Amino acid sequence: HHLPEHGPCPPPYDGPMTFYPSPEDRAYLKGLKSSPYAIFAPIAGTPERTIPPQLQSRILRSLMEHGIRPVLVGKSLYGRPTAPGSLDLIDKLSVPGTIEAVRQATVVIAAHSSVLHMAWFAKRPVFLLYPKWVKDVFDKHGPVGYFFGVNQPTTEHMEFPAFTADRLNRWVGRMI
C-alpha cells in the first residue's frame, strides 16, 4: 500500500509558496473561477486507494445536483471517470497547474493521493475516501504524517463502504 506504518514525515509547511502553471495549464484553467467547481481526484497511486467506479459515478451525480461543476484531475492509471457537464483535465495539467486548480476550487473530493495533500496545504475543504487499511493506520497513529490535515474542520473522511450520497450532500451544503 506504499505508506509506512509510522515514519518520519516533515511537518506541514505553512508559509507562502509560488507555483508557475504552464501556458497550457492557464488555458485549461481560464474561466474556472466564474462559478463554483469541485476538484474530483478519484485515482490514487495504487488501485486499492482509488475510489471505486460505482462511488465515482454517485459522487459526480451529487455534485451536478448541487450545481457544482466537477473538474476531474490526476492521472488515468486505474480508470477514467466521466460525467456530462464535467471538465476532464485528467492527464492534462502539470503539477503546478493542478495545484492552481486545487487552490481555486470550492471543494475537493479525493482519494488518499497527492491531490489530497495539495488541498490540505491550500486549506481547501476536503471530502476524503479511502480503503480500510488506511483507516487502520490512522486509528493506530492518529493524524500524523500523511494524515496531517484529517482533523481540519472542513475535512470529512471515511472508508469507501461508509460513503453515502446523503453524507456528501450534507458536507457540500456546509461548504458552499
Side-chain angles (χ1 to χ4, degrees), residues 65-83:
E65 288 169 2
H66 274 283
I68 298 175
R69 184 180 192 188
V71 176
L72 313 172
V73 300
K75 299 294 178 194
S76 60
L77 299 169
Y78 308 108
R80 184 182 207 102
T82 59

PDB file of all heavy atoms in Angstrom, residues 65-83:
ATOM      1  N   GLU A  65     -25.965  17.732  -9.084  1.00  0.00           N
ATOM      2  CA  GLU A  65     -27.248  18.096  -8.479  1.00  0.00           C
ATOM      3  C   GLU A  65     -27.132  19.346  -7.612  1.00  0.00           C
ATOM      4  O   GLU A  65     -28.099  20.079  -7.447  1.00  0.00           O
ATOM      5  CB  GLU A  65     -27.802  16.921  -7.665  1.00  0.00           C
ATOM      6  CG  GLU A  65     -28.293  15.783  -8.526  1.00  0.00           C
ATOM      7  CD  GLU A  65     -28.605  14.509  -7.749  1.00  0.00           C
ATOM      8  OE1 GLU A  65     -28.485  14.504  -6.501  1.00  0.00           O
ATOM      9  OE2 GLU A  65     -28.962  13.504  -8.403  1.00  0.00           O
ATOM     10  N   HIS A  66     -25.954  19.602  -7.061  1.00  0.00           N
ATOM     11  CA  HIS A  66     -25.712  20.812  -6.265  1.00  0.00           C
ATOM     12  C   HIS A  66     -25.321  22.005  -7.132  1.00  0.00           C
ATOM     13  O   HIS A  66     -25.080  23.092  -6.599  1.00  0.00           O
ATOM     14  CB  HIS A  66     -24.593  20.568  -5.249  1.00  0.00           C
ATOM     15  CG  HIS A  66     -25.076  19.976  -3.974  1.00  0.00           C
ATOM     16  ND1 HIS A  66     -25.716  20.707  -3.007  1.00  0.00           N
ATOM     17  CD2 HIS A  66     -25.014  18.711  -3.511  1.00  0.00           C
ATOM     18  CE1 HIS A  66     -26.022  19.922  -2.002  1.00  0.00           C
ATOM     19  NE2 HIS A  66     -25.624  18.705  -2.283  1.00  0.00           N
ATOM     20  N   GLY A  67     -25.224  21.811  -8.436  1.00  0.00           N
ATOM     21  CA  GLY A  67     -24.822  22.895  -9.320  1.00  0.00           C
ATOM     22  C   GLY A  67     -23.338  23.204  -9.238  1.00  0.00           C
ATOM     23  O   GLY A  67     -22.907  24.309  -9.570  1.00  0.00           O
ATOM     24  N   ILE A  68     -22.556  22.225  -8.799  1.00  0.00           N
ATOM     25  CA  ILE A  68     -21.109  22.391  -8.713  1.00  0.00           C
ATOM     26  C   ILE A  68     -20.477  21.566  -9.826  1.00  0.00           C
ATOM     27  O   ILE A  68     -20.676  20.351  -9.907  1.00  0.00           O
ATOM     28  CB  ILE A  68     -20.574  21.936  -7.346  1.00  0.00           C
ATOM     29  CG1 ILE A  68     -21.188  22.786  -6.243  1.00  0.00           C
ATOM     30  CG2 ILE A  68     -19.057  22.019  -7.309  1.00  0.00           C
ATOM     31  CD1 ILE A  68     -20.808  22.345  -4.864  1.00  0.00           C
ATOM     32  N   ARG A  69     -19.743  22.238 -10.673  1.00  0.00           N
ATOM     33  CA  ARG A  69     -19.128  21.559 -11.805  1.00  0.00           C
ATOM     34  C   ARG A  69     -17.940  20.707 -11.346  1.00  0.00           C
ATOM     35  O   ARG A  69     -16.998  21.222 -10.737  1.00  0.00           O
ATOM     36  CB  ARG A  69     -18.637  22.580 -12.818  1.00  0.00           C
ATOM     37  CG  ARG A  69     -18.067  21.974 -14.067  1.00  0.00           C
ATOM     38  CD  ARG A  69     -17.608  23.049 -15.007  1.00  0.00           C
ATOM     39  NE  ARG A  69     -17.329  22.493 -16.315  1.00  0.00           N
ATOM     40  CZ  ARG A  69     -16.767  23.156 -17.288  1.00  0.00           C
ATOM     41  NH1 ARG A  69     -16.432  24.423 -17.113  1.00  0.00           N
ATOM     42  NH2 ARG A  69     -16.536  22.587 -18.440  1.00  0.00           N
ATOM     43  N   PRO A  70     -17.933  19.414 -11.646  1.00  0.00           N
ATOM     44  CA  PRO A  70     -16.771  18.590 -11.330  1.00  0.00           C
ATOM     45  C   PRO A  70     -15.629  18.873 -12.308  1.00  0.00           C
ATOM     46  O   PRO A  70     -15.835  18.923 -13.525  1.00  0.00           O
ATOM     47  CB  PRO A  70     -17.266  17.155 -11.516  1.00  0.00           C
ATOM     48  CG  PRO A  70     -18.753  17.244 -11.575  1.00  0.00           C
ATOM     49  CD  PRO A  70     -19.062  18.610 -12.101  1.00  0.00           C
ATOM     50  N   VAL A  71     -14.454  19.080 -11.767  1.00  0.00           N
ATOM     51  CA  VAL A  71     -13.239  19.224 -12.563  1.00  0.00           C
ATOM     52  C   VAL A  71     -12.370  18.017 -12.212  1.00  0.00           C
ATOM     53  O   VAL A  71     -11.910  17.881 -11.078  1.00  0.00           O
ATOM     54  CB  VAL A  71     -12.513  20.550 -12.264  1.00  0.00           C
ATOM     55  CG1 VAL A  71     -11.202  20.624 -13.022  1.00  0.00           C
ATOM     56  CG2 VAL A  71     -13.409  21.734 -12.625  1.00  0.00           C
ATOM     57  N   LEU A  72     -12.202  17.133 -13.170  1.00  0.00           N
ATOM     58  CA  LEU A  72     -11.501  15.875 -12.950  1.00  0.00           C
ATOM     59  C   LEU A  72     -10.007  16.079 -13.163  1.00  0.00           C
ATOM     60  O   LEU A  72      -9.589  16.572 -14.208  1.00  0.00           O
ATOM     61  CB  LEU A  72     -12.025  14.816 -13.917  1.00  0.00           C
ATOM     62  CG  LEU A  72     -13.555  14.712 -14.024  1.00  0.00           C
ATOM     63  CD1 LEU A  72     -13.953  13.773 -15.141  1.00  0.00           C
ATOM     64  CD2 LEU A  72     -14.137  14.269 -12.709  1.00  0.00           C
ATOM     65  N   VAL A  73      -9.204  15.718 -12.153  1.00  0.00           N
ATOM     66  CA  VAL A  73      -7.755  15.883 -12.245  1.00  0.00           C
ATOM     67  C   VAL A  73      -7.054  14.598 -11.831  1.00  0.00           C
ATOM     68  O   VAL A  73      -7.647  13.721 -11.214  1.00  0.00           O
ATOM     69  CB  VAL A  73      -7.239  17.059 -11.379  1.00  0.00           C
ATOM     70  CG1 VAL A  73      -7.878  18.374 -11.811  1.00  0.00           C
ATOM     71  CG2 VAL A  73      -7.462  16.806  -9.904  1.00  0.00           C
ATOM     72  N   GLY A  74      -5.779  14.531 -12.137  1.00  0.00           N
ATOM     73  CA  GLY A  74      -4.958  13.384 -11.777  1.00  0.00           C
ATOM     74  C   GLY A  74      -4.505  12.644 -13.017  1.00  0.00           C
ATOM     75  O   GLY A  74      -4.460  13.195 -14.110  1.00  0.00           O
ATOM     76  N   LYS A  75      -4.176  11.398 -12.806  1.00  0.00           N
ATOM     77  CA  LYS A  75      -3.703  10.526 -13.885  1.00  0.00           C
ATOM     78  C   LYS A  75      -4.704   9.402 -14.118  1.00  0.00           C
ATOM     79  O   LYS A  75      -5.441   9.014 -13.225  1.00  0.00           O
ATOM     80  CB  LYS A  75      -2.336   9.923 -13.529  1.00  0.00           C
ATOM     81  CG  LYS A  75      -1.252  10.957 -13.313  1.00  0.00           C
ATOM     82  CD  LYS A  75      -0.950  11.694 -14.586  1.00  0.00           C
ATOM     83  CE  LYS A  75       0.093  12.767 -14.379  1.00  0.00           C
ATOM     84  NZ  LYS A  75       0.149  13.686 -15.493  1.00  0.00           N
ATOM     85  N   SER A  76      -4.695   8.865 -15.322  1.00  0.00           N
ATOM     86  CA  SER A  76      -5.635   7.800 -15.691  1.00  0.00           C
ATOM     87  C   SER A  76      -5.030   6.417 -15.460  1.00  0.00           C
ATOM     88  O   SER A  76      -5.250   5.507 -16.241  1.00  0.00           O
ATOM     89  CB  SER A  76      -6.060   7.956 -17.146  1.00  0.00           C
ATOM     90  OG  SER A  76      -4.920   7.890 -17.992  1.00  0.00           O
ATOM     91  N   LEU A  77      -4.301   6.268 -14.361  1.00  0.00           N
ATOM     92  CA  LEU A  77      -3.632   4.994 -14.084  1.00  0.00           C
ATOM     93  C   LEU A  77      -4.596   3.826 -13.936  1.00  0.00           C
ATOM     94  O   LEU A  77      -4.316   2.715 -14.387  1.00  0.00           O
ATOM     95  CB  LEU A  77      -2.811   5.116 -12.785  1.00  0.00           C
ATOM     96  CG  LEU A  77      -1.699   6.146 -12.775  1.00  0.00           C
ATOM     97  CD1 LEU A  77      -1.162   6.330 -11.369  1.00  0.00           C
ATOM     98  CD2 LEU A  77      -0.606   5.724 -13.731  1.00  0.00           C
ATOM     99  N   TYR A  78      -5.722   4.062 -13.257  1.00  0.00           N
ATOM    100  CA  TYR A  78      -6.642   2.972 -12.918  1.00  0.00           C
ATOM    101  C   TYR A  78      -8.069   3.324 -13.281  1.00  0.00           C
ATOM    102  O   TYR A  78      -8.997   3.069 -12.533  1.00  0.00           O
ATOM    103  CB  TYR A  78      -6.531   2.635 -11.426  1.00  0.00           C
ATOM    104  CG  TYR A  78      -5.105   2.393 -11.004  1.00  0.00           C
ATOM    105  CD1 TYR A  78      -4.430   3.317 -10.230  1.00  0.00           C
ATOM    106  CD2 TYR A  78      -4.431   1.257 -11.427  1.00  0.00           C
ATOM    107  CE1 TYR A  78      -3.103   3.108  -9.879  1.00  0.00           C
ATOM    108  CE2 TYR A  78      -3.112   1.040 -11.087  1.00  0.00           C
ATOM    109  CZ  TYR A  78      -2.458   1.964 -10.309  1.00  0.00           C
ATOM    110  OH  TYR A  78      -1.147   1.771  -9.967  1.00  0.00           O
ATOM    111  N   GLY A  79      -8.262   3.913 -14.432  1.00  0.00           N
ATOM    112  CA  GLY A  79      -9.596   4.260 -14.883  1.00  0.00           C
ATOM    113  C   GLY A  79      -9.717   5.737 -15.174  1.00  0.00           C
ATOM    114  O   GLY A  79      -8.782   6.512 -14.987  1.00  0.00           O
ATOM    115  N   ARG A  80     -10.882   6.104 -15.653  1.00  0.00           N
ATOM    116  CA  ARG A  80     -11.128   7.489 -16.016  1.00  0.00           C
ATOM    117  C   ARG A  80     -12.617   7.766 -15.844  1.00  0.00           C
ATOM    118  O   ARG A  80     -13.429   7.316 -16.644  1.00  0.00           O
ATOM    119  CB  ARG A  80     -10.702   7.729 -17.447  1.00  0.00           C
ATOM    120  CG  ARG A  80     -10.827   9.161 -17.872  1.00  0.00           C
ATOM    121  CD  ARG A  80     -10.421   9.328 -19.341  1.00  0.00           C
ATOM    122  NE  ARG A  80      -9.939  10.665 -19.529  1.00  0.00           N
ATOM    123  CZ  ARG A  80      -8.663  10.998 -19.619  1.00  0.00           C
ATOM    124  NH1 ARG A  80      -7.743  10.081 -19.580  1.00  0.00           N
ATOM    125  NH2 ARG A  80      -8.310  12.253 -19.780  1.00  0.00           N
ATOM    126  N   PRO A  81     -12.983   8.521 -14.790  1.00  0.00           N
ATOM    127  CA  PRO A  81     -14.406   8.839 -14.612  1.00  0.00           C
ATOM    128  C   PRO A  81     -14.874   9.807 -15.699  1.00  0.00           C
ATOM    129  O   PRO A  81     -14.079  10.570 -16.247  1.00  0.00           O
ATOM    130  CB  PRO A  81     -14.442   9.503 -13.241  1.00  0.00           C
ATOM    131  CG  PRO A  81     -13.070  10.053 -13.052  1.00  0.00           C
ATOM    132  CD  PRO A  81     -12.140   9.145 -13.790  1.00  0.00           C
ATOM    133  N   THR A  82     -16.143   9.748 -15.990  1.00  0.00           N
ATOM    134  CA  THR A  82     -16.726  10.696 -16.938  1.00  0.00           C
ATOM    135  C   THR A  82     -18.096  11.112 -16.435  1.00  0.00           C
ATOM    136  O   THR A  82     -18.768  10.356 -15.732  1.00  0.00           O
ATOM    137  CB  THR A  82     -16.905  10.071 -18.346  1.00  0.00           C
ATOM    138  OG1 THR A  82     -17.754   8.931 -18.239  1.00  0.00           O
ATOM    139  CG2 THR A  82     -15.577   9.668 -18.945  1.00  0.00           C
ATOM    140  N   ALA A  83     -18.473  12.322 -16.785  1.00  0.00           N
ATOM    141  CA  ALA A  83     -19.809  12.816 -16.453  1.00  0.00           C
ATOM    142  C   ALA A  83     -20.131  13.973 -17.376  1.00  0.00           C
ATOM    143  O   ALA A  83     -19.301  14.868 -17.557  1.00  0.00           O
ATOM    144  CB  ALA A  83     -19.877  13.266 -14.995  1.00  0.00           C
TER     145      ALA A  83
END
